[in-house]
Structure formats: C-alpha cells, structure tokens
Amino acid sequence: MKANIYNQADYEGILNRIESLGAANQRKWGKMTLPQMLEHCSLQLKMGLGEVASEPEGSFFMRTNVGRWFILDLIPWPKGLPTPSKMNLVKNEELVSDFQVHKHALLQLLEQVKEGPDLGPHPFFGAMNRRYWGRLIWKHLDHHLRQFSA
C-alpha cells in the first residue's frame, strides 16, 4: 500500500521529519525558503479544510480517477511541477519568515486533517476521497521534506 497520511506509521514518519527541520536545512532545488515551504504545505491543508478558497485549475485529466491514480500512485513526483495559484508563495511574492511559527502551524493543521472529516475539493484534483487526499498530502509533504533534506 502506498504511503498515506491517514496511516498512523506514515503520519508519524512525516511528523518526525517536520520536527527535525531546523535552520541548517537548506533547499536542494526550487526557489522557496524553508518558512515559505512550510506555509505552502499549510495552504494545501487549509484549502482541503475549506479555510482558503480556490478555483479549479489545471487539466481535466488530473480531476479524473485515472489522472489521480497516475499522479498520486504511479509516477514519482518530479521537481518543478506546477502549483495551484493560491499556494505559489514565490509568484505571489508573499514574504514568510518566522520558521517556528509556520512549523507549528503545519503540525497543528496535520493533526486537524487527520482527526477531522473528509476534505473539500483540490484545485487540480477536484473532489477526492479520503484515500486520495491522504496520499496527496503525504506525497506533497514528502516531496518538500526531501527538498530540504528531511
């Protein structure tokens, strides 16, 4: 079974990796700073929780079951993939600087998502069941944690 944030062992593994982040973690690729990455990941969760509104964008293919399966289960997540507009902190020129505040907020949001009800639609993937959301969250966090060597 593919890693999924709703699986307790996978969830704890992601939490430990987030907890391990510190000032020494420098990005290996991309343009986001460590605090921006944490806020970027938090925005995904806020969208799912309905705290941040977003419009559908991206291709229709990604909103189909085949598209979700292809992106979330089949292929490795490459560097430089497009990001939903609301989550693009570099393009939106959002300055984020307090690392500890954003780290703490992300950890709280993860707990809220894990314990909460089903999440709303994603701008690229549309309405998803719990398995797809859990896989997306895990894969997205794993991608960015690897970006910062965690």
Side-chain angles (χ1 to χ4, degrees):
M1 181 177 187
K2 301 284 184 178
N4 187 306
I5 207 71
Y6 293 114
N7 173 290
Q8 189 63 31
D10 297 334
Y11 175 75
E12 289 174 9
I14 286 289
L15 291 182
N16 290 335
R17 289 169 66 192
I18 293 169
E19 287 286 358
S20 77
L21 289 169
N25 292 86
Q26 299 298 311
R27 69 176 172 251
K28 294 164 131 181
W29 70 83
K31 297 178 183 176
M32 286 188 288
T33 64
L34 182 55
Q36 283 176 320
M37 179 275 285
L38 294 167
E39 177 62 13
H40 166 81
C41 292
S42 290
L43 283 168
Q44 177 192 50
L45 303 178
K46 289 176 183 177
M47 279 195 262
L49 291 165
E51 295 175 14
V52 172
S54 64
E55 297 296 320
E57 53 185 289
S59 73
F60 172 76
F61 174 71
M62 291 173 68
R63 285 186 283 283
T64 66
N65 282 333
V66 171
R68 287 185 207 111
W69 168 77
F70 183 75
I71 300 293
L72 300 177
D73 288 337
L74 191 61
I75 65 169
W77 211 319
K79 300 168 189 156
L81 279 177
T83 190
S85 300
K86 293 268 182 153
M87 292 172 57
N88 194 330
L89 299 178
V90 173
K91 182 179 173 186
N92 296 335
E93 298 180 357
E94 291 192 36
L95 299 176
V96 179
S97 59
D98 194 330
F99 163 74
Q100 290 298 335
V101 166
H102 291 286
K103 180 176 168 179
H104 181 71
L106 177 58
L107 292 168
Q108 284 187 315
L109 284 164
L110 274 170
E111 184 178 341
Q112 195 177 345
V113 164
K114 183 145 185 331
E115 302 304 321
D118 290 345
L119 300 174
H122 185 276
F124 284 172
F125 298 104
M128 294 189 288
N129 63 28
R130 197 165 173 86
R131 183 187 81 77
Y132 276 133
W133 258 114
R135 178 68 180 144
L136 172 62
I137 292 166
W138 186 91
K139 195 166 183 178
H140 184 235
L141 288 168
D142 174 67
H143 172 78
H144 286 297
L145 290 167
R146 283 186 292 108
Q147 180 184 14
F148 285 89
S149 302

